[in-house]
Amino acid sequence: MATTDAAGEVRAVGEARGPGRLRASWSVVPAVPTIGLMVLWAEHDGGYDADTWYWGALVLLSLLVATVAALGPRRAKLSPPGAIALGALGAYTAWSYLSTAWAQTPGLALQGSNRTLLYLLMFTLLLMLPWTPKAALGAMVLFALGVGGIAVLLLVRLAAGDHVHDLIVQGRLVAPTGYFNSSVAVFMIEALLGVALAIRRELPAPLRGLLIALSCAALQLCILGQSRGWLFTLPVVVLAAIAVVHDRIRYLAAAVIPVAAAVGPIHLLLKVFPAGRSAALEQAASHAAHVCLLACAGALVVGSLLSWAEGRMRPPRLSRAVRLGLGAAICAVTFAGACAGVIRVTHGHPVAFVSRQWRGFSHPQTRPSPGSHYVAVGSGRYDFWRVSLQALRAHPIGGLGQDNFADYYVTHRRSREEPASAHSLEMSLLAETGLVGFALFMLFAIAALAGAVRARRTGAELSRAMAGAAVLPAVVWLIHGSVDWFWEMPAISAPALGFLAVAGALARPTPHEVRVRPDPRPVRRALAGAAATVGLIAAVTVLAFPYLSVREVSLASDIASRDPAQALLDLRTAAQLNPLNPDPGRMAGTIALQTGQYVQAERSFEQTAAREPRGWYAWLGAGLAASARGRAGVARHDFIIAGSIDPREVIIKKALARVDSAHPLAPEQALRMLVLVN
């Protein structure tokens, strides 16, 4: 039943509370396919490929529209921090799209902005849903089971010797994201979140034990990935995780099981790296995986039994002094263990180790280590960040444009690397979107974290615990992502932003508890509806046509070797669907060069150069096609432009040196050299 007061307010009371809660539970159903997308991206190359995340963005857009239609815009009430965070992220997304106006390559800026829109849709959808603590617990358990299942499946494949050389590259685990560091970050999220969920008494003991075992498998794969970024940021990540979780003592106590089970076979995991590409790799990986699976089984049994025992006993209430003492003792043991680990890794010389790592960091080249990648020195990040700051000085307000770092770096680099991003969230924000974009994103991050802190400190015990657990993916994303390129990986960015939205949403009342006032201004309602319709049409347009273009490029890539003529037709369609995308022309030019269609190749590369003027490959390809047609003057002009963009590229120098000779560099020879060099 309902009562109406003089102001026209309507609220649910009495028996209406039960159905209201039921409606609230059903209204979080859109979270299930959203969690499914996160797990799918984790398994499918981290979601990095555009033809994977584009359709995911369209799915999220559909879910958001359905959610708003089901809840009603007035029932989707946001907390003040949530509203600020949503507004700031929306403003950052708009600024990202605006950067296509000054970007050297608008097609890349558009694609990067569409990825930003994907994250905005993810954050908005999960922020608007009327989360209850139990619904949040179920969603995070679903995610942990999905990613943990991927971890166990990888161990099973390694144990069985199934395509080991595809899973482990250069002695390090590259699966499932295709990049060492991002794979480790995905599993670190799983490990932290799994332990936080395993201590919840609301879950049955077997499920809690399973979460402990999955966290163990994730930690083992973190070690196998041998990410130095993970190792060096690990202390900060662990301290931040301890700070945000709700029941710290039980969290640290539960973490002992997966940590011990992961550290046990660490010597076997580290032996995989020296095997490299040799025939011993499969044997080393299989042996390590077998032992790891046995350790996970042990963690499952121990975790389940302890969870069952804890569920049957009522633990005594400890005084604040006792809790502080236990916490201090656990922290001391943890710190001592960390110090022992540092001494072990540095062979008893931590100061010399840090000094050597700094010298290697500031040097653009990497020197491999025969024993372990953890003790290798050298990184290109110093040069990446140097060029990022140089780009900020040159373009302080708007930056280079979203996703436009790569071409700028090639011209200003001191290394031979060609990174697509600056390998740091903060540096990418500054270099690509300038001070304005950086300020907008920092406002979003601060407001979103403030909303999570608010939920962490208020409400029921389960609500506070779930708010703390939901921040854990963002902890890994922000800290480890400060030294790596995780923004481009939906498998990491989507859980970080999505669960951060869940944490903020737990701070506000559910829709059936919200007072709903009749809107006395129908004109404002109509204008809001019209604006929402225009925004929906714009979002569909900017996502659908580029996605269709990406799909045509992907299809052309699949058939290029057996049907080049059809591939060229598909690429022509792709170029028409997205007039800013340089990829169709680049691929069409390459196919035409390989098949001797030099007129078509020159035309395609000219199209690419028009869409990506600072891309050296398009100018090189156009020059090779012109040279093959006997147009030495045109070829020389194109080679000179390519060389001015990338002065370090050896193939450009060879092509320019031989362009006027009797034997100019042939296109097929240049393409073979490019494959060998890259």
Side-chain angles (χ1 to χ4, degrees):
M1 66 186 288
T3 61
T4 306
D5 59 18
E9 296 179 352
V10 179
R11 73 186 73 183
V13 295
E15 62 268 23
R17 290 184 180 270
R21 287 197 180 95
L22 182 62
R23 287 194 299 272
S25 299
W26 278 103
S27 59
V28 298
V29 167
V32 175
T34 304
I35 301 299
L37 280 175
M38 296 180 186
V39 176
L40 175 66
W41 286 329
E43 191 277 334
H44 195 282
D45 293 333
Y48 177 77
D49 295 332
D51 59 350
T52 300
W53 63 257
Y54 257 122
W55 68 262
L58 290 168
V59 169
L60 289 175
L61 180 61
S62 302
L63 291 172
L64 180 59
V65 171
T67 299
V68 173
L71 291 178
R74 285 177 293 154
R75 285 191 176 272
K77 186 175 178 61
L78 305 179
S79 64
I84 294 173
L86 182 58
L89 186 57
Y92 175 77
T93 304
W95 182 257
S96 179
Y97 278 110
L98 188 61
S99 73
T100 60
W102 59 78
Q104 285 282 349
T105 307
L108 293 178
L110 175 62
Q111 181 162 299
S113 300
N114 286 338
R115 191 194 305 109
T116 304
L117 177 60
L118 162 71
Y119 299 148
L120 175 64
L121 293 171
M122 174 74 69
F123 185 82
T124 305
L125 173 62
L126 296 185
L127 183 67
M128 293 183 65
L129 291 178
W131 290 98
T132 63
K134 288 186 177 180
L137 174 61
M140 284 185 276
V141 166
L142 182 63
F143 173 80
L145 292 177
V147 177
I150 295 173
V152 172
L153 181 60
L154 280 174
L155 287 175
V156 171
R157 292 183 62 187
L158 290 173
D162 181 17
H163 294 86
V164 173
H165 289 274
D166 295 332
L167 304 177
I168 297 179
V169 178
Q170 299 174 0
R172 303 166 60 195
L173 180 73
V174 70
T177 68
Y179 175 51
F180 311 106
N181 297 340
S182 60
S183 294
V184 169
V186 167
F187 292 129
M188 188 61 189
I189 290 174
E190 164 67 21
L192 293 176
L193 190 59
V195 175
L197 299 174
I199 65 175
R200 298 312 310 169
R201 296 186 178 93
E202 294 82 1
L203 299 177
L207 179 55
R208 295 170 64 184
L210 178 60
L211 290 169
I212 289 289
L214 296 180
S215 296
C216 172
L219 284 176
Q220 290 165 345
L221 294 179
C222 286
I223 298 171
L224 190 57
Q226 298 217 11
S227 166
R228 287 181 295 161
W230 169 74
L231 181 64
F232 295 151
T233 59
L234 182 60
V236 184
V237 169
V238 170
L239 289 175
I242 294 173
V244 302
V245 294
H246 174 60
D247 199 338
R248 298 185 181 93
I249 294 178
R250 293 179 66 237
Y251 183 79
L252 289 170
V256 171
I257 303 173
V259 169
V263 171
I266 191 172
H267 62 290
L268 298 176
L269 292 168
L270 294 179
K271 283 183 179 179
V272 174
F273 179 80
R277 295 177 177 270
S278 67
L281 174 62
E282 291 189 8
Q283 181 179 357
S286 177
H287 186 200
H290 274 101
V291 176
C292 286
L293 287 171
L294 289 175
C296 291
L300 171 64
V301 173
V302 173
S304 299
L305 290 176
L306 290 178
S307 299
W308 175 81
E310 185 191 36
R312 293 183 63 86
M313 65 178 62
R314 187 177 298 275
R317 292 184 61 85
L318 302 177
S319 65
R320 179 178 177 81
V322 173
R323 291 200 306 270
L324 290 175
L326 285 175
I330 294 175
C331 288
V333 172
T334 303
F335 180 75
C339 291
V342 168
I343 294 174
R344 173 69 179 84
V345 170
T346 60
H347 303 288
H349 302 284
V351 176
F353 174 80
V354 172
S355 177
R356 187 172 67 254
Q357 289 293 332
W358 170 254
R359 288 196 302 270
F361 169 73
S362 60
H363 195 277
Q365 298 297 325
T366 300
R367 297 200 307 271
S369 170
S372 171
H373 185 71
Y374 288 132
V375 297
V377 295
S379 172
R381 284 169 176 75
Y382 183 89
D383 199 49
F384 304 163
W385 298 348
R386 177 191 64 82
V387 175
S388 298
L389 295 177
Q390 182 177 333
L392 176 64
R393 287 193 297 269
H395 308 276
I397 304 301
L400 301 169
Q402 191 70 270
D403 277 22
N404 268 246
F405 176 77
D407 290 341
Y408 186 87
Y409 178 77
V410 165
T411 304
H412 300 84
R413 64 180 175 170
R414 294 174 182 170
S415 72
R416 291 200 54 81
E417 297 187 59
E418 296 186 17
S421 74
H423 283 61
S424 168
L425 174 62
E426 296 82 0
M427 290 296 179
S428 292
L429 289 170
L430 289 170
E432 296 177 354
T433 58
L435 294 174
V436 173
F438 182 82
L440 289 173
F441 195 87
M442 288 301 105
L443 176 61
F444 155 73
I446 292 171
L449 290 172
V453 169
R454 178 180 178 180
R456 171 68 176 74
R457 293 180 175 177
T458 60
E461 193 271 342
L462 180 59
S463 178
R464 298 196 303 271
M466 290 302 97
V471 179
L472 292 174
V475 167
V476 177
W477 181 70
L478 286 170
I479 298 175
H480 190 175
S482 295
V483 296
D484 227 311
W485 53 284
F486 293 161
W487 175 257
E488 293 81 5
M489 287 283 183
I492 305 173
S493 295
L497 297 176
F499 287 126
L500 191 59
V502 173
L506 288 172
R508 62 177 171 82
T510 54
H512 65 276
E513 297 170 337
V514 176
R515 297 180 178 185
V516 182
R517 293 182 174 87
D519 193 344
R521 288 172 281 189
V523 175
R524 187 178 69 177
R525 220 166 42 238
L527 289 176
T533 302
V534 171
L536 175 62
I537 294 173
V540 171
T541 301
V542 298
L543 289 174
F545 286 102
Y547 170 59
L548 293 175
S549 176
V550 166
R551 285 298 301 157
E552 291 294 326
V553 172
S554 180
L555 292 173
S557 177
D558 292 339
I559 66 172
S561 59
R562 63 178 185 272
D563 193 354
Q566 182 60 48
L568 290 174
L569 289 176
D570 292 342
L571 292 169
R572 187 178 306 167
T573 302
Q576 294 170 348
L577 287 168
N578 185 357
L580 298 179
N581 187 6
D583 292 338
R586 186 186 301 111
M587 183 178 294
T590 303
I591 294 173
L593 278 183
Q594 292 170 336
T595 56
Q597 303 177 60
Y598 300 127
V599 175
Q600 172 68 41
E602 190 171 2
R603 188 183 303 119
S604 297
F605 281 124
E606 287 173 352
Q607 178 194 79
T608 304
R611 298 182 179 187
E612 189 181 14
R614 299 302 296 173
W616 64 267
Y617 180 73
W619 292 104
L620 173 64
L624 291 171
S627 178
R629 297 177 60 197
R631 305 173 66 200
V634 175
R636 186 187 316 106
H637 170 267
D638 293 341
F639 292 151
I640 290 174
I641 295 179
S644 67
I645 296 172
D646 186 1
R648 293 176 175 268
E649 183 54 61
V650 176
I651 298 174
I652 298 175
K653 296 178 181 179
K654 289 182 178 294
L656 184 58
R658 294 170 53 179
V659 66
D660 292 315
S661 69
H663 301 285
L665 185 63
E668 57 273 14
Q669 183 182 1
L671 293 176
R672 285 198 302 270
M673 293 171 63
L674 282 172
V675 171
L676 291 175
V677 171
N678 297 320

